[in-house]
């Protein structure tokens, strides 16, 4: 009889971060510029973040010490190519050391090449909407993969490309901060599709590592009488379909989700965070998280099934799943429910190979600053001391037992 509480041999359990959100001092990136603009919607600048740039070794051994065996982080294009065509051997060496630290601790390094930030020079040259973007991304992937590929476990080209057109060109919450620029948003999406294709090929041509894209797939539920509409959520979901089509040629598909969104006869019922009011208090309630999202870990099952249906036979990595909460027991309950969704999908025969919690650390949550706390580990904002929460040990135990108990 199959033990439904168990995960398959080799299943990866870990946590994720991204460079700008944890490294600190990412001064050459477009986000640094955006955070410091006078008219910025950002609550606060990223500053030193979690000083992960210097403390990666401590973080990776802490993670391994809890029993986790995978770590997803991103490499920073703005550091690797600080000026157009100038590649920094020192920055690449730094990321080799981060990768070596993972290998020494027997932690599988899952590396994202682009997680929301661009070098400032590239944003000035038109950013994602520039026709040069795909070729520049391809060259960056080629150079980074040549220098790091022998140590990378899995490579993710672009994080959540489905949302970058809308957040940067329609909603004005990410650089370049345009609102209602439909043409810019469309160009960004077209370029990102091409960039994923070209970047993935460049990485594969250097080393035979599994390559894929990571997509945010909230569970969109239509109620009786609701019609599909043109809310940004639904538009992003259609963009996901194009990426899922490309993902059929990839080595894995990265699935990430946080909640569900319900669409009623009059449109979306809960849109999560109200991006039109970034000054709103971030308080959680019994039903909602600090992000204003419904606390609904079951969304993960729907996201995995959607990816499996769109990309038959392609392995699925859960590359992000998490909750922003001040109550750690709530985080544990969230992970427990999300992992039960993973087990249900496994028992349906879907090839799921990882569960990476977002996030390893309480970190810089983009325009919302440091207020939302997603981490398994807290960070003292003065000393950067790591303060592991019970949830880190809880997930580590699941990993050690390869089972939910
Ligand atoms: C992103 C992260 C972000 C997290 C929580 C994901 O969409 O990849 O960068 O911090 O969600 O909002």
């Amino acid at each position: 009889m199959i033990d439904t509480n168990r995960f398959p041999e080799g299943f990866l359990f870990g946590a994720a971060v991204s460079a700008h959100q944890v490294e600190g001092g990412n001064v050459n990136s477009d986000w640094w510029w955006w955070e410091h603009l006078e008219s910025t919607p950002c609550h606060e600048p990223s500053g030193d973040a979690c000083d992960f740039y210097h403390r990666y070794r401590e973080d990776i051994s802490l993670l391994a010490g809890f029993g986790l065996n995978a770590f997803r982080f991103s490499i920073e294009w703005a550091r690797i190519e600080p000026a157009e065509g100038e590649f920094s051997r020192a920055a690449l060496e730094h990321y080799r050391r981060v990768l070596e630290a993972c290998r020494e601790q027997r932690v599988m390094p899952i590396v994202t090449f682009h997680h929301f930030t661009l070098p400032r020079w590239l944003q000035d040259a038109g950013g994602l909407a520039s026709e040069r973007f795909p070729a520049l991304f391809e060259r960056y992937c080629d150079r980074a993969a040549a220098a790091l590929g022998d140590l990378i476990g899995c490579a993710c080209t672009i994080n959540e490309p489905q949302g970058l057109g809308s957040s940067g060109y329609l909603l004005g919450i990410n650089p370049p901060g345009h609102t209602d620029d439909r043409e810019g948003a469309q160009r960004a999406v077209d370029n990102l599709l091409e960039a994923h294709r070209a970047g993935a090929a460049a990485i594969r041509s250097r080393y035979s590592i599994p390559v894929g894209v990571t997509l945010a797939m909230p569970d969109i539920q239509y109620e009786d009488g609701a019609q599909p509409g043109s809310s940004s959520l639904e538009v992003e979901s259609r963009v996901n379909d194009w990426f899922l089509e490309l993902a059929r040629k990839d080595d894995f598909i990265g699935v990430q989700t946080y909640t569900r969104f319900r669409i009623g006869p009059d449109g979306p019922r809960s849109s999560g965070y109200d991006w039109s009011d970034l000054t709103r208090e971030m308080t959680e309630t019994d039903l909602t998280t600090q992000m204003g999202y419904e606390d609904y870990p079951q969304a993960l099952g729907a996201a995995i099934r959607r990816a499996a249906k769109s990309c038959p036979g392609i392995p699925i990595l859960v590359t992000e799943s998490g909750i922003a909460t001040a109550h750690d027991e709530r985080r544990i309950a969230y992970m427990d429910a999300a992992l039960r969704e993973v087990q249900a999908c496994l028992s349906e025969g879907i090839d799921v190979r990882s569960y990476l919690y977002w996030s390893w650390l309480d970190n810089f949550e983009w325009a919302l600053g440091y207020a939302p706390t997603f981490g398994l580990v807290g960070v003292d904002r003065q000393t950067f001391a790591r303060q592991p929460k019970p949830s880190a040990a809880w997930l580590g135990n699941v990993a050690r037992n390869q089972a939910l108990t």
Side-chain angles (χ1 to χ4, degrees):
M1 199 174 119
I2 298 170
D3 179 350
T4 50
N5 278 331
R6 290 201 68 77
F7 290 88
E9 182 86 18
F11 192 90
L12 297 172
F13 288 95
V17 295
S18 89
H20 188 74
Q21 294 178 271
V22 297
E23 283 182 349
N26 191 19
V27 299
N28 199 31
S29 71
D30 60 343
W31 260 89
W32 186 272
W33 158 80
W34 178 239
E35 290 154 25
H36 292 88
L37 272 189
E38 209 159 302
S39 58
T40 184
C42 296
H43 283 200
E44 56 188 325
S46 55
D48 288 326
C50 306
D51 194 29
F52 175 79
Y53 198 80
H54 301 106
R55 292 165 197 258
Y56 62 91
R57 211 169 263 292
E58 181 192 339
D59 278 313
I60 294 163
S61 47
L62 194 58
L63 177 138
F66 278 115
L68 299 172
N69 58 11
F71 184 51
R72 174 171 173 243
F73 65 95
S74 69
I75 52 174
E76 183 56 59
W77 190 350
R79 295 189 197 270
I80 293 176
E81 191 180 358
E84 183 173 347
E86 275 181 37
F87 287 85
S88 162
R89 280 196 301 276
L92 288 165
E93 266 308 308
H94 168 80
Y95 289 118
R96 274 197 80 77
R97 287 193 291 272
V98 181
L99 286 160
E100 278 159 6
C102 291
R103 295 294 182 183
E104 280 159 23
Q105 299 286 339
R106 296 177 180 277
V107 164
M108 166 75 86
I110 300 176
V111 175
T112 309
F113 281 57
H114 176 269
H115 195 125
F116 294 0
T117 48
L118 290 179
R120 181 82 187 267
W121 61 263
L122 178 47
Q123 186 60 262
D124 291 345
L128 301 176
S130 158
E131 59 185 11
R132 298 176 60 220
F133 177 75
L136 290 168
F137 183 68
E138 180 182 18
R139 181 177 63 177
Y140 155 69
C141 286
D142 176 64
R143 296 291 288 261
L148 308 171
D150 57 323
L151 295 171
I152 293 177
C154 292
C156 313
T157 52
I158 305 172
N159 183 65
E160 301 187 346
Q162 88 297 324
L164 295 177
S166 52
S167 55
Y169 293 85
L170 300 177
L171 302 173
I173 51 176
N174 279 12
H178 297 186
T179 45
D180 295 325
D181 176 0
R182 284 170 187 279
E183 214 187 294
Q186 185 61 55
R187 279 204 309 269
V189 170
D190 291 344
N191 286 342
L192 285 159
L193 285 159
E194 181 50 28
H196 167 64
R197 209 187 341 244
I203 298 168
R204 283 188 197 104
S205 75
R206 289 291 184 175
Y207 285 94
S208 70
I209 20 181
V211 185
V213 64
T214 58
L215 300 175
M217 292 196 275
D219 182 6
I220 298 182
Q221 300 181 352
Y222 289 93
E223 295 175 355
D224 284 350
Q227 297 295 329
S230 55
S231 63
S232 58
L233 273 173
E234 292 164 284
V235 170
E236 286 184 22
S237 177
R238 277 173 225 134
V239 175
N240 264 340
D241 284 333
W242 301 333
F243 279 98
L244 286 166
E245 212 178 298
L246 283 187
R248 289 183 200 145
K249 296 207 178 89
D250 284 338
D251 308 300
F252 68 87
I253 163 92
V255 167
Q256 4 207 91
T257 194
Y258 290 84
T259 190
R260 73 171 164 186
F261 293 107
R262 285 182 293 166
I263 314 258
D266 301 323
R269 279 198 192 287
S270 54
S271 59
Y273 196 84
D274 180 2
W275 295 106
S276 62
D277 179 12
L278 287 173
T279 58
R280 193 169 67 71
E281 273 290 298
M282 273 165 280
T283 42
E284 49 186 319
T285 66
D286 285 352
L287 295 178
T288 59
T289 74
Q290 290 170 329
M291 298 292 281
Y293 297 155
E294 184 183 355
D295 182 349
Y296 188 73
Q298 294 76 8
L300 186 55
I304 293 172
R305 290 185 188 98
R306 177 176 173 194
K309 196 163 163 210
S310 305
C311 306
I314 305 291
I316 291 174
L317 297 184
V318 174
T319 38
E320 285 183 29
S321 157
I323 179 172
T325 177
H327 307 290
D328 200 48
E329 64 285 357
R330 193 172 193 187
R331 189 179 338 279
I332 292 174
Y334 184 97
M335 287 192 287
D336 185 84
L339 283 165
R340 287 181 200 281
E341 293 292 323
V342 171
Q343 289 186 325
C345 292
L346 286 164
S347 65
E348 289 162 27
I350 302 177
D351 183 6
V352 191
R353 301 197 181 174
S354 74
Y355 179 83
L356 306 183
Y357 178 80
W358 182 274
S359 175
W360 172 242
L361 300 171
D362 284 342
N363 64 42
F364 180 70
E365 180 53 31
W366 306 109
L368 301 178
Y370 290 98
T373 49
F374 279 94
L376 296 175
V377 174
V379 176
D380 183 304
R381 300 267 0 110
Q382 298 306 315
T383 64
F384 307 112
R386 289 356 191 198
Q387 298 159 337
K389 304 176 192 177
S391 52
W394 183 88
L395 186 60
N397 273 338
V398 177
R400 283 203 170 100
N401 298 328
Q402 291 278 306
L404 278 169
T405 47

